[in-house]
Amino acid sequence: MAETLKVDFRKLIDDLKEKVKKTGRLDRKPIVYYSVIEDVDNEGSYILVLFVEPKLLEIFEEVKDKFEDEGLSISVFKGIERKFLREYLEQLIKDKYAGVKVGKEISGLSGSGYAVYMNWAGEGKFVIHRYENGKFLKKTCKRTPYWETENGLWMISFETCEDAKSLCGELNQFISESSDRKFTITVHRLCIDEKKECGGSR
């Protein structure tokens, strides 16, 4: 960050969310993902890019000017959470988890391994499952043949439960750092012996 601009972005966003909460009469702070574009035009200025819930877009636009100054501007975009998280997830998998897939549908599932269902509805959670010979072990593991549903998506082909938990942890860290939201990570006990397969209970 340039020396000319001293901004605590996390506090700024927290203050902004509190203002939006009061303005919109919400019972919780809004979900906001953000990134910072530094040194705009080589003049030491910054753009704070916010991705907010669609229904709150107008309220954020109304209150953002209060937090801007000569070296900082705020751009607000309608952030459909699943699209935003999926793009980051696909990049994370590409960089660190070769062989893991996020794709079209799971009806053609083959082989054996571990899978994660990422559910972004409500409080948000990751659920780790195991499959063998192309099939999930319990009916409760797979409720749809499709990769992406209204509430979440599947990631498959983890070789170990630990690999699956590791990816969930990395993605969860990004989510909590950029939005102050934190997903839970759950091992599906009907198809996985957590103590034997996943390094013990949390």
Side-chain angles (χ1 to χ4, degrees):
M1 184 175 296
E3 291 296 320
T4 56
L5 187 65
K6 301 288 187 180
V7 179
D8 184 340
F9 288 108
R10 290 184 67 84
K11 183 179 185 307
L12 187 151
I13 291 170
D14 197 55
D15 291 345
L16 181 60
K17 289 193 295 183
E18 187 63 36
K19 178 70 174 178
V20 169
K21 175 184 175 182
K22 292 178 180 178
T23 303
R25 296 185 176 88
L26 305 176
D27 58 3
R28 60 171 175 81
K29 287 186 180 180
I31 296 172
V32 179
Y33 293 89
Y34 70 91
S35 61
V36 180
I37 301 176
E38 302 182 7
D39 294 323
V40 179
D41 298 327
N42 294 317
E43 295 181 358
S45 58
Y46 296 80
I47 298 176
L48 180 62
V49 183
L50 305 181
F51 299 86
V52 307
E53 299 166 85
K55 64 182 179 180
L56 300 178
L57 184 66
E58 186 174 338
I59 301 175
F60 270 91
E61 286 286 357
E62 289 176 0
V63 303
K64 71 173 186 177
D65 290 346
K66 173 185 174 182
F67 298 88
E68 295 183 343
D69 61 29
E70 293 182 0
L72 171 69
S73 62
I74 300 176
S75 296
V76 183
F77 297 93
K78 180 171 67 176
I80 301 173
E81 184 177 26
R82 61 184 179 185
K83 179 179 179 181
F84 189 81
L85 290 181
R86 179 170 177 161
E87 289 179 357
Y88 180 84
L89 171 63
E90 289 177 337
Q91 187 62 46
L92 180 63
I93 287 176
K94 178 181 177 182
D95 292 342
K96 295 189 176 182
Y97 296 87
V100 175
K101 301 174 183 176
V102 177
K104 297 178 181 178
E105 60 181 41
I106 58 176
S107 59
L109 193 68
S110 63
S112 300
Y114 294 84
V116 175
Y117 185 69
M118 178 183 180
N119 187 332
W120 42 62
E123 294 181 358
K125 61 183 177 181
F126 299 99
V127 184
I128 303 171
H129 299 265
R130 182 162 59 89
Y131 60 92
E132 292 180 358
N133 302 318
K135 295 182 179 180
F136 286 98
L137 306 182
K138 301 290 181 179
K139 290 182 179 180
T140 52
C141 295
K142 182 168 85 70
R143 298 182 179 182
T144 172
Y146 301 104
W147 285 89
E148 189 163 346
T149 68
E150 182 178 349
N151 292 328
L153 56 79
W154 284 94
M155 297 165 270
I156 66 166
S157 298
F158 293 94
E159 292 186 3
T160 68
C161 181
E162 288 292 342
D163 286 343
K165 287 174 69 175
S166 178
L167 182 140
C168 293
E170 289 198 54
L171 185 55
N172 210 17
Q173 181 178 352
F174 166 76
I175 292 170
S176 64
E177 288 178 350
S178 66
S179 72
D180 296 326
R181 187 184 189 204
K182 190 169 186 178
F183 283 38
T184 59
I185 302 174
T186 303
V187 173
H188 192 229
R189 298 179 184 275
L190 292 180
C191 65
I192 295 175
D193 184 329
E194 185 172 8
K195 186 174 182 180
K196 290 181 179 179
E197 301 176 61
C198 302
S201 300
R202 293 173 303 285

